[in-house]
Structure formats: structure tokens, C-alpha cells
Amino acid sequence: MRKIYVFDTTLRDGEQSPGVNLNTREKVEIAHQLEKLGVDRIEAGFPAASPGDLAAVNAVARAVKNATIIGLSRSRQQDIDAVREALQGAQDPCLHLFLATSPIHRQYKLRMDKQQVLENAEAAIRYAKKYFSKIEFSAEDAGRTELDFLCEVTAMAIRAGATVINIPDTVGYLSPYEYGNIFKTLKEQVPGIENVQLSAHCHDDLGMATVNALAAIMNGADQIEGTINGIGERAGNTAIEEVAMALETRQDFFGAKTSLVLSEIARTSRLVSKLTGMVVPGNKAIVGANAFAHESGIHQDGMLKEKTTYEIMSPETIGLKESKLVLGKHSGRHAFREKLIDLGFDLEDELLNQTFAKFKVLADKKKDVTDEDLLALLEEKLVDTPEVFKLEAIYVSYSNESIPSAKVRILTAAGDIIEEEAEGNGSVDAIYNAIDRASTEEVTLSDYSIKSVSHGKDALGEVHVVLSQNDVAVQGRGLSTDILEASARAYVDALNQLIEKRKTFSKRDRVSL
Ligand SMILES: CC(=O)SCCNC(=O)CCNC(=O)[C@H](O)C(C)(C)COP(=O)(O)OP(=O)(O)OC[C@H]1O[C@@H](n2cnc3c(N)ncnc32)[C@H](O)[C@@H]1OP(=O)(O)O
Ligand SMILES: CC(C)C(=O)C(=O)O
Ligand SMILES: [Mg+2]
């Protein structure tokens, strides 16, 4: 199988992401992880950028033993000398030289004509060749460079001694067809091209960085350059994990492979995200939190029956434990039952259906239904007290400038609907006074507590109350994403418990008589 070399530039182009700044310790930590991931080449930084980056590149060069270490340099002697200094101690050093070749960059940025670009690049490569056996030359903005001039630049770089020729689509402008065609043309037309490696370096401005890298591979590229999580200048670079997994998953189509240790992908992604502070979007391919998560019932059902129905690769391949079936409002009974079994509850069909109905009501209110939410729902369902009173609705009126009031609508076991209103010294007190009126029970609230069962601002609130009547005390519990509703439910639950307990006492009394 054809090998595709992986050139990781997380520490250089990745660090060019606005807001990202990696210190020496962080660069070394990421470099060690990249080594474990098995990347072939690590671009550790741009030594001429600052003394700190020079020192960081040097620390990486000394620390890493199993990858080529690269430093970036403009086509200028002082930059090349900075890379020489930075790569001291590297087992396998490589200089990365670049000069822009496109008409826009030539005219406005470099203020050079074609001839000057050729001469400057050649002089830099020849100077560098005295110190480096491995030199990669990049024709910056190759994507917008006249193809015949790009061939000329490439031929010059090969003659001057470059060992890798990189074709950057610096501004992420090209379509896969156009980008692939550059590689095909260079392969066909440039003398000596067979003696060097061709490299693809893409940016994601139009969301085509990965597909362009793949197009380059299909047209003869030997190496892809990219970053972990696709971080980098503007919209970022090709995400290495995406190319590696595309090649792995579609070997039948691409017929090429990287030598990455794929099971290190998830760990590397997490580390880079942590140290750069760049959060990985949930829907990011391969490494996003949702990449192996399924929320909708039909997909979950398919997954439970056969994973390949909805997964083209396995989470284990990239070092994750397993796929996730996330319960939410789109989930179905199959996944719900499976989740409850995982939590240790194998419910009979009827109870399952009742709990499922409650779960759907909760899922309408919450983004994610967590294990804690489910346990709370289950506890409520498993302890089944007959509902003499059922809370149908509450309305609360609160302002800090008036007395809080509440109205409740309660359905009785006999089928009557009772509506009552009351005021109180707070919203909860007003609700409880209204429920007292509706139930006509005379009870004392001896305890009230509230806690959050799950996390986040849409977490379930759980209210516990203790009601007493004569010598009998009962507890009630209510759950809701709204604490006033949870409070009302807990109170009504306690009233039902109280009535149930009273019945048990009176039966016992009759027996003893
Ligand atoms: C596509 C890419 O990712 S390229 C890499 C981009 N990365 C970075 O720029 C990060 C590190 N850069 C830096 O720290 C600074 O830009 C430095 C230290 C390299 C240079 O800083 P300064 O000397 O202040 O120059 P400044 O950045 O303002 O301008 C760049 C100069 O380099 C020239 N230049 C740009 N690319 C090249 C090149 N490949 N070869 C030679 N000269 C170049 C520009 O034309 C400009 O020259 P001028 O001063 O004669 O007009
Ligand atoms: C330095 C070069 C290779 C680069 O990052 C680009 O052109 O995008
Ligand atoms: Mg780049």
C-alpha cells in the first residue's frame, strides 16, 4: 500500500491561529504526543519569529527522537541561520524555506517580478544546502500561481537542492479538481520531479482543506501537511485526523495509508485542544464530541441492531471507548430500554412505556437527558403511590413590589377539577397555600429542601418536603426543570403519601379492633 507521509504543523501553522500561543513546555508536550501518534515530520515553529520560539523549537528538536524536526524560514539568510541554531541537537533536522510565487503576492507583498522570485528562492536554497541535507521548499500561494511559472519554480528548487516541494493553497481558494491538477501537471512536466517528494498544504477557507489534500494524494502527492483538529491561520489547515481516517476507511478507493497510530488520535486531539484553548466543535469530523454519538431513535435502533448501519468507522479505532447513544427528544424506546438496562433497571413493558412517556415530556424541556435525570425519573415511577390529587397546572404571579400569589388546578381521583388561588410570603408559600385550599387537608410543612439533580442551566431541580398531620409525617418529592413546579409536585406527592398512609393506619386500626 502506498505510504503518505504526515507533516504536522500544529506547532507552527496551528500556532498561527489568532489567540494561540504555546510556550516551550507546551510545545514539547504536544511534540511528544505527536511522536506517539506516529507523525513523520513535526514543524516545531518559526525560529526567526522570536527568541522564545527559537528556544521552543530547540527544545522540541532535542526532545523528539522519532520524527523529523522542521523549522520554517523566509528566503533570507538570517531566518535560515535562526533555524540552524534552533535545530541543533535534532536527530533528523529539516529546513522549510518558503517564498510566495503568485502574481498578487509578487506584486503587492514582495514587490518582486518572476525573475527576482526565482533568484531569491534559488539563492536561499543554495545557501541552506551548505547546512541542511533535507530542505522543503514551499511556493507560497501556489494555488493562485500561473501553472507554467509554478513548474519553472519547482524545476529551479529541485536543481538547487530541495528534497521536498510543497504546493500550498495558502488562502484555501482552489477546488479539488484544480488542486489535484497542479500535482498531475508537475508530475508530468517538471524534470527531476521523481527525485523529490511532493507535498500538499491546504487551508480551509472554503471548507475544502481535507478534500483538497485527498485530491492531491490521488494525483501523486507523497506528503500531506496539516494540524490536529484542523487549527491554523484563519479557518485553519487540513485536519490530519480527517485525512488519515479517510485513507483508512476508504482504502478501497484511495489505495494509500499513513503510518499514524490511529488509536492516539483522540488523545492527541484532546491535548491540542486543552493547550491551545481551541475548543473542538461537537460536530467536527472524527474528533468532535458528536462524531460517534447518536440521538435519534431510528439511528439508535439501527446502532443497537448493527453498528455499521450508522457508523462507517469505529470509535475504538481512534482511541475512544465506545459510541454514545445520547437520550434526547428524538430518541426511541429501544435506546431508552437499553439505557435503563445499563443503569440496572429492566422494566416490564407497561412500566417502561409509562416511564418513556415521562422521559419524552422531560426531553422536550431539556437538551440532554442524563443518567441522573433518568434515575430521578425512575425512582419517582418505581415508588407508585395512588394519585388522589394530581397537579394539572400552576400559575404564579411574583413581583418584589407586591404580594406573591398563585393559582393551582388539581384533578382528583374522582375526576373533579379544583382550582384555587392564594397569596403567600413567597412564590412557593403562595403555591402551597393554594394547594392547601384545593385539598382541604390541614398539614404542617416541617421541611423543605431543593437541589439540582443534573448539571447546567436546564438541570432538573429536585424538591423534598416533609409534611405532618397529627402524629404522621410523610416525605414528598418533586422533579422539574422549574423549581416552582418541582415544589408544587413535591407538595402534592406528600399529600398523596399522607392519604395513603392514613388509609393503612385506619385498616390496621380496624384489624386490631
Ligand atoms: C503562509 C504563512 O503561513 S507564512 C508564515 C507566516 N508566519 C509568520 O509570519 C509568523 C512569524 N513572523 C514574524 O514573527 C515576523 O513577521 C517576522 C519576524 C518573520 C518578520 O518581521 P518583520 O521583519 O517585522 O517584517 P514583517 O512581518 O512586518 O513583514 C514581512 C517582511 O518579510 C517579507 N517576506 C515575506 N515572506 C517572505 C519570504 N518568504 N522570504 C523573504 N521575505 C519575505 C515581506 O515582503 C516583508 O518584507 P519588507 O519588510 O521588506 O516589506
Ligand atoms: C509557509 C507556508 C507553507 C504556509 O503555511 C502556507 O502557504 O499556507
Ligand atoms: Mg499555511
Side-chain angles (χ1 to χ4, degrees), residues 389 391 394 408 410 428-448 463-469 474-479 483-499:
F389 300 116
L391 182 74
I394 52 170
V408 296
I410 284 182
V428 174
D429 191 45
I431 292 170
Y432 288 179
N433 290 338
I435 296 174
D436 282 345
R437 282 194 185 159
S439 72
T440 65
E441 291 285 338
E442 282 187 18
V443 290
T444 310
L445 176 68
S446 343
D447 198 15
Y448 172 95
V463 171
H464 272 269
V465 296
V466 178
L467 293 188
S468 36
Q469 191 179 59
V474 288
Q475 291 189 23
R477 190 166 154 280
L479 273 178
I483 53 170
L484 294 181
E485 187 182 324
S487 302
R489 291 198 177 285
Y491 201 83
V492 171
D493 181 45
L495 283 176
N496 287 330
Q497 309 268 3
L498 189 75
I499 293 163

Side-chain angles (χ1 to χ4, degrees), residues 62-79:
R62 290 178 191 280
V64 170
K65 301 291 169 230
N66 298 311
T68 304
I69 303 300
I70 297 159
L72 182 63
S73 160
R74 290 175 297 177
S75 295
R76 289 190 179 184
Q77 282 194 16
Q78 76 263 30
D79 281 24

Side-chain angles (χ1 to χ4, degrees), residues 327-328 331-333 336-337 339-341 343 345-364 369-384 479:
L327 290 184
S331 301
R333 271 184 192 74
F336 185 68
R337 179 189 286 275
K339 183 70 182 175
L340 296 193
I341 290 173
L343 292 173
F345 297 87
D346 192 358
L347 303 192
E348 309 232 312
D349 284 352
E350 203 192 315
L351 191 49
L352 181 88
N353 285 341
Q354 286 172 19
T355 320
F356 184 67
K358 284 203 150 197
F359 151 75
K360 279 279 181 175
V361 172
L362 176 64
D364 264 338
V369 179
T370 63
D371 288 2
E372 290 103 322
D373 293 332
L374 287 178
L375 286 170
L377 277 184
L378 280 166
E379 279 167 26
E380 207 183 40
K381 196 65 238 166
L382 291 178
V383 191
D384 232 356
L479 273 178

